[in-house]
Amino acid sequence: MTAPHARRARYRLGVDVGGTFTDIVLTHVEDGTVHTAKVPSDAARPASAVAEGVAGALARQGVDAAEVEHFAHGQTFALNTVLQRAGARTGLLVTSGFPDLLEIGRLRLRDPIDFFAAPRRPLVDRADVREVDERLRADGSVERPLDEGGLLAAAEALVADGVQALAVSFLHAHAHPEHERRAVELLRAAHPGLVIVGAAELWPEEKEYERTTVAVLAAHVAGLLGGYLGELFDRLRALGLRCPLYIAKSNGGVMSLDTGSDEILRAAVETLLSGPAAGVAGAIRLAGATGVDRLITMDMGGTSVDVALVEGDIPYSTDSVLGDFPLIIPTVEISSIGAGGGSLVRVDSSGVLKVGPRSAGAVPGPAAYGRGGTDPTLTDAYVVCGFIDPEDFAGGAVTIDPRAAYASLRPLARRLGLTVEQTAAATIDVTTAMMHAQLVPLLARRGLDATGSHLVAYGGAGPVHAALLARSLNIRRVLVPWSPGTLCAFGALATGLRQDVVASIGETTATLDDARLERVWKDLAEQAHAWYARQHTAPYQRPELRRWADVQLVGQSFTLPVVLPDGRPPTVETLRSLFADAYRAAYGVDASGGELDVRNLRVTLTAPGDPRLPAVAAGPAGAPREHTVHESGERRRALRLRRAELPVDATVRGPLVVSAPDTTVFVPTGAAARADALGNLLIDLDPDRDPATGRDNDTDDRRGS
């Protein structure tokens, strides 16, 4: 009698490709055990770093590639391409009379009181813009027919001059795409090897400047992104992965990586915030499992801090800004504030201590890394103040040199007339103040009070600084995920499919009727379901649709999103009622009698992913070791321990430094840290006060577990 075949184990693989490191999360489907890894990214060939990192992670855990049933990844490759302007040289074809479309933009100054502000620089050089003789009126009637010969001649001249991709954006094409669609058809036939993007085909929303920008971004990035995704697909298949492959999108969802070239143009703009959006999704997933639905995410890396303000669900925006470029495609609402761990510290000509915006980057990096850097950074200030354990940093992957950190800050200390320790503490205080000053207006614009929120800190530097920022905002609790440095990779696994589609109608409720509302929303729903049918949907069942609209009062310039709840009929009267509620909530004014202007109708399709959380095994309890920190201008006795040495529900008082392979957590004086059953570290900044009564608890204040 032959023995039965052993059941093949099943694993899920999440990856996040950052500018410095590529992070990997490998989870066992049945028991939830998780393994993490970080490998250096390869800016020239990012797919190589992913493939090598995946191969190494599988080999270390003895996992066969055929046992991986799901792969999802986020990346900053497309975003970095845009910010560095490293993509294809792009030509733009526009309606005759509008060659300055990108230069004019919205005629808004980024900083109205800065007389020396640099002008915005479009992604397309003025010499690479060509006018095409054509014109459709706003009602769709033909003012001038499309000059097909002139179109092809203009494109031929651009290509002959070295242009590598073309974007086409004609006036009113979002509502009447006939000319633009014909132009794209002719250009693709004439130049089959070239990336050709039609603005209305890609994103048919009004606002010609923003719509054109989307098309230009796609044209600029699509070739490189397509090459990266193609190479990644081939390399992962060569490793033996046979599972469906997914890529995280800027809207907090994922899409199939291997659906063919037709999806690459949309992927080029829909994945620009792929990695940061996946991080927010992962933070919400972990926080939700602990019963927390009000949170501020804090993703702090080497250069900046990315934050999202969350009340229950992922926050979305249709007016994001990437450097000089507006992005009207729905994205997770993320704002960059403050400085990062590698931000350079200096004293300006007025004798004021400043942090950032320049960064030491990965090479040479902070002086304390011993890689040749000599300029002081925020990380060097952390080292001098003892917020980082020099004997146990990054799991031993990086050797910390405290003497180099001291040496880098000493010239600043002399200029300021302070000790090196005081200068380091002042640097940290300045950074906290910068973050506070930039975060408070974000909260005010959303009408949010930070007091009742949790601060969820991740990224390499986030957990070092989180408690200090939380205290300045009167936030009592900080949540540090089980693996802060790889949370974005986990987020790519934790999220589901998501697709957004839009139709611009631009009609007031005086003429808009119920039949048109129902017809447009039905057409958008069919588009969303058609996209879903092209995906690998096995892990993402039960698709759901959400109908919503961009509505404003007639004569106003800014819309409010109005979501149509399930069960409410898609009627004009329903929009009136819902808009009145939204307007009252936003502005405190009753707008129920006003005439409405419905600008866009939208549909969002979502299909949830795997709801399971990783099972993080706690290590044996360890005795905290003596340490010293410089906090608030004072030298204080502290403790230090490894993250794995803190058992579930054990509580340790600050000042405390907790080291982990992917981050360091600083717990200040007066705060307490506790590990929960999910592997998170919970920091309470006022543990002796009862949150229900506001009175002090009858507890002692001894440090230790």
Side-chain angles (χ1 to χ4, degrees), residues 454-508:
H454 279 62
L455 186 64
V456 181
Y458 52 100
V464 183
H465 213 111
L468 305 177
L469 176 61
R471 182 166 280 172
S472 78
L473 294 166
N474 291 322
I475 295 175
R476 175 170 172 174
R477 292 185 173 88
V478 175
L479 188 154
V480 180
W482 55 274
S483 181
T486 60
L487 185 67
C488 294
F490 166 75
L493 286 177
T495 188
L497 292 176
R498 178 183 166 113
Q499 176 70 345
D500 294 284
V501 289
V502 65
S504 291
I505 58 174
E507 193 168 343
T508 70

Side-chain angles (χ1 to χ4, degrees), residues 14-32:
V15 174
D16 177 57
V17 184
T20 305
F21 289 103
T22 293
D23 305 326
I24 299 167
V25 171
L26 179 68
T27 65
H28 193 287
V29 172
E30 278 78 18
D31 61 23

Side-chain angles (χ1 to χ4, degrees), residues 163-444:
V163 162
Q164 301 162 307
L166 293 173
V168 184
S169 183
F170 291 161
L171 201 63
H172 305 308
H174 66 285
H176 307 288
E178 295 82 11
H179 281 186
E180 188 176 291
R181 187 179 297 147
R182 175 59 177 164
V184 170
E185 177 185 335
L186 291 170
L187 292 173
R188 287 176 178 166
H191 303 279
L194 211 64
V195 172
I196 311 289
V197 182
E201 176 187 35
L202 187 64
W203 193 251
E205 186 174 342
E206 62 181 359
K207 300 180 180 178
E208 66 275 11
Y209 167 57
E210 289 84 355
R211 185 175 69 251
T212 303
T213 299
V214 168
V216 167
L217 287 170
H220 185 71
V221 173
L224 287 177
L225 181 66
Y228 160 70
L229 294 178
E231 182 182 356
L232 179 63
F233 181 87
D234 292 341
R235 282 180 170 270
L236 293 177
R237 290 293 186 241
L239 286 177
L241 268 71
R242 295 292 176 260
C243 62
L245 310 176
Y246 301 89
I247 183 171
K249 301 169 66 176
S250 303
N251 62 11
V254 296
M255 62 180 287
S256 293
L257 186 151
D258 53 343
T259 53
S261 59
D262 291 343
E263 300 287 347
I264 292 298
L265 292 180
R266 288 195 66 134
V269 286
E270 290 186 341
T271 65
L272 286 172
L273 293 173
S274 171
V280 174
I284 292 174
R285 179 74 188 90
L286 290 178
T290 67
V292 174
D293 60 0
R294 288 188 59 192
L295 56 138
I296 300 172
T297 67
M298 178 190 182
D299 181 4
M300 185 174 179
T303 304
S304 64
V305 185
D306 294 330
V307 299
L309 312 179
V310 180
E311 286 190 295
D313 199 2
I314 294 178
Y316 293 104
S317 172
T318 55
D319 59 356
S320 300
V321 178
L322 304 177
D324 287 336
F325 315 115
L327 189 63
I328 58 174
I329 290 179
T331 63
V332 176
E333 190 172 14
I334 299 172
S335 301
S336 291
I337 67 169
S343 294
L344 297 175
V345 187
R346 70 188 192 283
V347 175
D348 69 10
S349 58
S350 300
V352 177
L353 187 67
K354 296 292 183 71
V355 181
R358 290 180 55 232
S359 172
V363 178
Y369 285 7
R371 296 172 177 168
T374 57
D375 293 328
T377 67
L378 180 57
T379 294
D380 295 309
Y382 291 151
V383 172
V384 169
C385 287
F387 293 2
I388 288 175
D389 182 358
E391 298 178 12
D392 187 22
F393 181 72
V398 178
T399 301
I400 294 295
D401 184 353
R403 289 177 299 179
Y406 270 83
S408 70
L409 285 162
R410 191 167 288 118
L412 295 183
R414 293 195 187 102
R415 288 194 61 185
L416 295 170
L418 302 174
T419 67
V420 173
E421 290 83 359
Q422 290 171 333
T423 302
T427 296
I428 294 171
D429 289 344
V430 167
T431 304
T432 304
M434 288 171 52
M435 295 179 185
H436 181 277
Q438 294 178 65
L439 188 52
V440 166
L442 294 177
L443 290 163

